[in-house]
Amino acid sequence: MRKHAIALGGAGLLLGVSLIATQAQMAFAAELPDPPAFAAQSSPVFVGVSDIQEYKALPEYHQPAWMDKFVADGTLPPVAERLPKEPLVFKTGNMPDGVGVYGDVMRHVIGGRPEGWNYIGGQSQGWGGIDIGLSECLTRTGPLFEVKADELEPLPNLAKSWEWSEDGHQLTMHLIEGAKWSDGVPFNADDAMFYWNDNVNDPNVTPLNGATPETFGVGTTLEKVDDYTIKWTFKEVRPTQYLYAMAYGTFCPGPSHILKPQHPKYNTANTYDQYKNAFPPEFMNMPVMGAWVPVEYRPDDIVVMRRNPYYWKTDENGNQLPYLDELQYRLSTWADRDVQAVAGSGDFSNLEQAESYVEALKRSAEPTAPARLQFGARTIGYALRMNFSANGWGEPDARGQAVRELNRQLDFRKAVSMAIDRQRLGDSLVRGPFTAIYPGGLYAGTTFYDKASTVYYGYDVAAANALLDGLGLKDTDGNGVRNFPAGTAGGGDLEVTVLANTDYGTDTNLAEGVIAQLEPLGIRVIANFQTGTARDDMAESGKYDWSVERQGAEMVAVVQGTSALAPTGPRTHPFHRAGTDGTLDLLPFEQELVTDVNSFIATSDATERADLMKKYQHTFTENVYSVGLTQYPGALIVNKRFSNIPVGAPVFMFNWAEDNIIRERVYVAADKQGNFELHPNTLPGAPGSAGPISE
Ligand code: GLA
């Protein structure tokens, strides 16, 4: 108790000191306009976790009728034997349209391309929720958008229950018992341990979505107790926060029986590159714990997935899920995802590229429109992120190093912030009430946001130029571009590259806006535009000066992705990581952010948490940790033939809508079913075999 009080006093004191010390820094801070009013079109029905799901054995189980022949001829054991002892059962009362029927397909369209199926080894499956459908994780956060505030805690998933030790340092998790991978091989603690020991804790492996040991806290350990029990030991007391890190995308184990034989630790003939790439997109029927299994791949055309006959979730009537027999992923562009969903030739889109809002809204408002379009809160946000590592991360040349030194100067970041006309930038994407000025940090309208703690350095080009003059950045050769001081990077032109993702029009449009708006400042910003996978690789390996990008869940939910809010570990932060010597070169204000984020993780006291996030927001925005650009709402577009789409499901909150809507529960009523299945009446074949099997 006493310790608690001292800690709080300390935090209050720190806040006081930093306020005085920074009054000078606050010069130039502008009035932050309120975001234009934009009513979200629906709000969720809030429920408790046990209203959504429970684990229990049911008296009988069912499968689609067309699967009976697979059981009759011995290809598959009966459904009851394929399910775990106690399946995860979704409650009827929480299903918006009730118990469903089997059949039909959800036709997704994506702009990404699968690199392969080794998710935990670091390969992307092409996004758009394809990996979310393949990988199941210890806990689950997507559906939390509809969980009551006083019960807000990640949903059990592969971990069906857990308990804390008396002293709060240990968390024992019970894994679902008797569940199987889609090829029938048992899932157990060895899969979790392979993920933890040989992927997260192997510095040569970076799982997709970037899990590192510190994602679960510095000094945290995990051990196997028995086949269905694992035990975490944390340095902190009862850090319930890490339950969020155990959800998508940082604790979703892969099939160790398939992956282990390729891992260099167990197969000395293989390199880490070979491990990562051992399951290319052509490798069909990769075992998964998810509801659908990839059975066909045609490059730049389609990925087809068929129902997992061993899926471990059911409805209350004992119907094995999913209801949808197939999932399709057309390999096209993200812009095409919107077009097709609105037109009805695709079934789903997260409308998130503001440039297409007006057209999509117009078409969806027509009574004959095939799809529903539902706007949510402003949870899509873009920022200009500067590389803060002056320690060798990404091995910059002399110019790159000089840029990083500048990135680390507050006056430089302030100047860049003040050169950006955010209103114009937002309007250039879409006019109307959608976009809001985003100063950086937590998003306006989200739980932990506090306007009074937000410092905004608004548009003021003259002041911005004065700041750069003050840094000794003069145009010494009269070519309109400022020069590095003599002795730095050869006194050359101040050239900065900006990394952006060409898969999304919005990303490159915003980056081009930044390039144009920085010209009057005498900074030559050069486009480094790359396709998604190449961009992500460069961002992951620190090979960039600046990046314009859409941000992750941490700026929305705070409780999801928390360890990425600050450089809490050597590899947890998006734009500041350890260099070649393995250490971070944190600036004093970053150290404050780290302390506050760690304190946030270590407490579950709501008032304390709110205060810590106010302080975080203040430190972040006052120091322009990243240059916020714009934030706006996304809209979920789903074809009208689907049932069980929860009201108020956001495009993006704790996770993307592909998880939020609980796809395994989504169905198409019999009279609305289309003729869209490409491989009707088939199931996944053996791992690595050519395609689906019909019997
Ligand atoms: C991409 C898309 C998002 C969402 C996610 C899911 O990032 O842009 O809308 O579909 O994939 O992984």
Side-chain angles (χ1 to χ4, degrees), residues 127-129 131-132 248 334 337 350 352 504 550 656 658:
W127 308 109
D131 54 332
I132 296 173
Y248 179 86
W334 296 109
R337 175 171 75 166
N350 298 325
E352 61 192 0
Y504 298 94
R550 194 179 65 195
W656 289 98
E658 291 91 336

Side-chain angles (χ1 to χ4, degrees), residues 275-566:
Y275 168 59
K276 178 177 176 183
N277 297 305
F279 303 92
E282 294 77 17
F283 184 96
M284 292 290 83
N285 303 305
M286 181 73 170
V288 300
M289 289 304 284
W292 300 272
V293 183
V295 299
E296 187 184 11
Y297 163 70
R298 292 186 236 138
D300 290 324
D301 183 0
I302 199 166
V303 173
V304 186
M305 295 152 74
R306 291 291 298 174
R307 62 179 306 115
N308 168 2
Y310 289 90
Y311 198 53
W312 43 285
K313 303 185 185 178
T314 72
D315 64 20
E316 280 189 302
N317 293 2
N319 296 309
Q320 185 184 33
L321 297 176
Y323 293 126
L324 298 172
D325 284 335
E326 194 170 300
L327 223 57
Q328 295 171 5
Y329 273 89
R330 305 245 186 86
L331 308 176
S332 179
T333 65
W334 296 109
D336 191 39
R337 175 171 75 166
D338 299 339
V339 172
Q340 294 217 38
V342 168
S345 54
D347 290 326
F348 176 101
S349 188
N350 298 325
L351 190 68
E352 61 192 0
Q353 296 191 72
E355 296 89 330
S356 54
Y357 280 18
V358 174
E359 201 42 47
L361 263 172
K362 241 183 10 214
R363 177 75 182 97
S364 307
E366 293 166 13
T368 56
R372 295 183 212 114
L373 185 154
Q374 192 101 252
F375 270 101
R378 281 196 182 85
T379 58
I380 311 283
Y382 279 86
L384 163 59
R385 290 172 155 179
M386 301 183 182
N387 192 328
F388 266 66
S389 296
N391 53 14
W393 181 44
E395 294 154 7
D397 58 12
R399 184 207 55 80
Q401 182 65 21
V403 170
R404 293 180 187 203
E405 304 289 355
L406 280 178
N407 292 344
R408 292 165 62 87
Q409 303 256 1
L410 177 59
D411 279 355
F412 183 70
R413 300 193 299 276
K414 263 161 108 171
V416 172
S417 177
M418 289 191 287
I420 308 269
D421 182 347
R422 291 170 174 81
Q423 184 67 46
R424 218 176 89 208
L425 212 54
D427 286 346
S428 75
L429 300 180
V430 59
R431 291 197 171 267
F434 302 104
T435 66
I437 286 178
Y438 170 47
L442 309 177
Y443 295 159
T446 58
T447 315
F448 288 98
Y449 174 77
D450 176 51
K451 184 175 172 179
S453 307
T454 306
V455 180
Y456 173 45
Y457 301 107
Y459 187 48
D460 186 344
V461 178
N465 270 307
L467 282 173
L468 294 187
D469 291 348
L471 286 169
L473 299 163
K474 303 266 161 60
D475 178 10
T476 50
D477 51 10
N479 69 349
V481 180
R482 291 175 188 269
N483 292 74
F484 287 108
T488 303
D493 282 343
L494 176 46
E495 290 180 341
V496 180
T497 61
V498 63
L499 185 61
N501 187 342
T502 56
D503 291 3
Y504 298 94
T506 311
D507 293 43
T508 51
N509 284 342
L510 284 173
E512 269 160 11
V514 166
I515 293 172
Q517 295 193 354
L518 288 188
E519 211 196 303
L521 222 54
I523 302 179
R524 182 184 287 146
V525 186
I526 299 163
N528 179 11
F529 292 176
Q530 307 277 342
T531 59
T533 314
R535 190 222 80 94
D536 292 351
D537 286 347
M538 295 180 87
E540 266 302 308
S541 55
K543 297 197 183 308
Y544 65 98
D545 301 339
W546 291 358
S547 146
V548 164
E549 60 189 276
R550 194 179 65 195
Q551 304 183 111
E554 65 276 9
M555 291 301 171
V556 183
V558 173
V559 291
Q560 184 71 37
T562 314
S563 55
L565 280 169

Side-chain angles (χ1 to χ4, degrees), residues 593-667:
L593 294 175
V594 168
T595 306
D596 291 337
V597 169
N598 284 337
S599 308
F600 180 93
I601 290 172
T603 179
S604 36
D605 182 279
T607 319
E608 218 177 305
R609 284 191 145 198
D611 285 345
L612 284 164
M613 275 303 124
K614 283 183 189 167
K615 189 155 166 278
Y616 173 88
Q617 176 78 348
H618 191 264
T619 310
F620 187 114
T621 53
E622 178 182 67
N623 288 286
V624 200
Y625 200 22
S626 60
V627 181
L629 299 174
T630 185
Q631 65 167 98
Y632 55 81
L636 179 60
I637 312 182
V638 183
N639 193 284
K640 287 177 182 164
R641 74 178 194 288
F642 292 92
S643 294
N644 273 354
I645 307 293
V647 306
V651 157
F652 187 56
M653 195 178 270
F654 298 93
N655 197 356
W656 289 98
E658 291 91 336
D659 191 36
N660 304 347
I661 64 171
I662 315 184
R663 274 182 299 184
E664 59 268 35
R665 257 179 20 174
V666 167
Y667 72 96

Side-chain angles (χ1 to χ4, degrees), residues 34-56:
D34 283 321
F38 186 87
Q41 287 171 319
S42 62
S43 43
V45 179
F46 289 97
V47 297
V49 171
S50 62
D51 296 323
I52 300 177
Q53 62 181 49
E54 68 182 314
Y55 293 81
K56 69 169 176 194

Side-chain angles (χ1 to χ4, degrees), residues 567-589:
T568 52
R571 294 190 296 155
T572 56
H573 194 256
F575 54 89
H576 195 172
R577 297 205 186 165
T580 29
D581 68 354
T583 65
L584 282 158
D585 48 355
L586 297 183
L587 295 170
F589 86 86

